[in-house]
Amino acid sequence: MSTSPLLQLTPRPPADTSADTPAEALGTPYRQYVYAYPHQKSYRALADGPALTDIWAGERLDALSLYVHVPFCEMRCGFCNLFTRTGAPEQITTAWLDTLERQARATREALEAQGRDIRFTLAAFGGGTPTYLTAAGLTRLADLCENVMGADLRAVPWSVETSPATATPDRIAVLAERGATRVSIGVQTFLEEEARAAVRPQKRSEVDAALTRLKAAAFPILNIDLIYGIQGQTEETFRTSLDAALSWEPEEVYLYPLYVRPLTGLDGRHEDTGESWDEQRLRLYRFGRDHLLAAGYRQTSMRVFQRAGTAAVDQADDAGISEYNQQAGMVGLGVGARSFTTGLHYTTDYAVAVPEVRRIIDDYIATPTEDFRRAQWAFTMDDDERRRMYLLQTLLESGGTVVEQYRGRFGDTPAAHFPAQFAILAERGWLTGGDTLRLTPEGMAWADAVGPLFFSPRVDAAMAAYRDR
């Protein structure tokens, strides 16, 4: 398939934020995950992108975050629409690391050209599955982050994702030695029949063995991911997975609703069984939420639950870490990684379909170093988009949006900028007001529909025009 047409991004006037937002947009609680705004489907290729030295000019460099996207997995789950390739041979991962080093050097040069102190205060390896890399590959990746980018991994909070099959003793040893503070393992379900229904072949024995090794390594934060909404899943079976996860005393548990997206393994295969899928997911979400709250966890967003009195809570409070907190200062490395500055978000090409993902990774490996000195795919940020991004980062969190902090940044109140959206939330009884705007528990249950209410017309149009591939 061909890629999207080349577009030269230009600034635009602010959107008419007073326009009516239809309540029908809330017809389903599950429109989409909102991790970072705008979605990568809003980015477009640049005919002659700006130089990184210009993009980072004037940006704050003493509190940067480093994100490395590792686009490899041992298998592709039926629900997965992440940018990842399965079963890549070692010659591909080695070539990818070679290219990553070239990109890192070009990026570091652009940051050093600013003539100011550079300091990384957060780091993360995501994917994909970073521990798909061998122990030697992980060591090289850590060396690259430290020696080329200048991020002291042993001195900052940094997170890494793993899977039951790749959480091997030698890989875990590398993460522990380099000072990883948070390891997140995607279990999704402890029941083998549910794993099969989600097109995720895994054995309970493999999951337990991986968790045994992770607990023995004593990382400050262990996170376990679970999914609800799998075909045939009930409160009873979900409780089995919840209790199995809790038996490992994780500092965090993430609860994800199952989504079935085009070009994924479950596309066209997932069927409702009696009740509507939305009703099943809402019912299981409420059950899981209440079960974790009763077990002593606090809820910080629709998905995130942290055990009180643990490193997860302390680290999040001290560093301001959350799902949504990156406004600017994110340096992304690797195909599929995004970088955020005040005026521009930029990345590489993006796809879901297996052949397109492989092509993009191959193209990345073949990219001349000079091309890494310019943004390739991007989305321009203006004041309107920054307001929307900030609201999504705060309103979807349990701490909410502090009105005076918002006014200090953007000159007026959230309700003044987004009257139609807040009217819908108030009408539904999903918002508490006063000095801080917070979603009610039921509003939080609908967070995946509340978030897209605040997408701009420009982002909605760009996402609608994106061709799934």
Side-chain angles (χ1 to χ4, degrees), residues 65-289:
S65 299
L66 177 64
Y67 174 71
V68 181
H69 187 84
V70 182
F72 305 112
C73 287
E74 76 277 10
M75 63 180 177
R76 185 161 187 151
C77 304
F79 49 83
C80 178
N81 69 339
L82 300 177
F83 185 89
T84 187
R85 171 182 173 173
T86 61
E90 190 168 355
Q91 61 262 34
I92 293 294
T93 59
T94 298
W96 173 83
L97 282 165
D98 291 342
T99 303
L100 191 75
E101 182 170 350
R102 293 191 291 109
Q103 183 188 15
R105 292 190 183 281
T107 301
R108 180 72 190 193
E109 289 171 6
L111 296 175
E112 290 179 343
Q114 308 307 318
R116 288 176 280 128
D117 290 340
I118 301 167
R119 179 170 174 259
F120 288 92
T121 57
L122 290 172
F125 297 172
T129 306
T131 50
Y132 180 85
L133 299 177
T134 63
L138 285 171
T139 297
R140 183 180 176 189
L141 179 56
D143 286 343
L144 186 155
C145 292
E146 293 177 345
N147 301 331
V148 178
M149 291 304 298
D152 187 350
L153 297 180
R154 295 177 180 86
V156 303
W158 74 278
S159 176
V160 63
E161 298 172 9
T162 189
S163 67
T166 62
T168 57
D170 56 343
R171 293 174 169 102
I172 291 173
V174 173
L175 302 180
E177 192 277 329
R178 292 306 178 106
T181 56
R182 178 181 180 274
V183 177
S184 177
I185 183 168
V187 173
Q188 319 311 351
T189 176
F190 283 83
L191 299 177
E192 292 182 12
E193 59 269 30
E194 288 185 353
R196 288 192 294 272
V199 192
R200 180 186 173 85
Q202 71 181 15
K203 298 295 185 182
R204 173 67 184 269
S205 58
E206 184 177 57
V207 173
D208 288 341
L211 285 166
T212 298
R213 291 189 289 269
L214 291 172
K215 288 293 289 186
F219 294 102
I221 300 173
L222 170 64
N223 174 74
I224 297 177
D225 288 347
L226 297 176
I227 280 182
Y228 56 91
I230 299 171
Q231 189 167 340
Q233 193 175 40
T234 65
E235 284 100 328
E236 182 179 357
T237 63
F238 195 29
R239 179 196 289 270
T240 298
S241 285
L242 288 164
D243 287 342
L246 291 174
S247 72
W248 294 99
E249 298 183 336
E251 285 71 28
E252 289 182 343
V253 178
Y254 276 40
L255 301 184
Y256 289 94
L258 179 67
Y259 278 82
V260 174
R261 296 305 195 194
L263 306 176
T264 62
L266 282 176
D267 187 18
R269 296 176 56 178
H270 186 278
E271 298 178 359
D272 291 341
T273 54
E275 67 178 328
S276 79
W277 192 22
D278 282 354
E279 290 171 354
Q280 181 209 21
R281 286 182 286 184
L282 274 174
R283 176 171 50 80
L284 291 173
Y285 161 78
R286 293 172 182 137
F287 177 84
R289 173 198 63 195

Side-chain angles (χ1 to χ4, degrees), residues 55-62 114 116 328-329 340-344:
I55 293 172
W56 287 98
E59 295 292 314
R60 181 178 175 180
L61 302 182
D62 63 344
Q114 308 307 318
R116 288 176 280 128
F340 299 163
T341 67
T342 305
L344 193 75

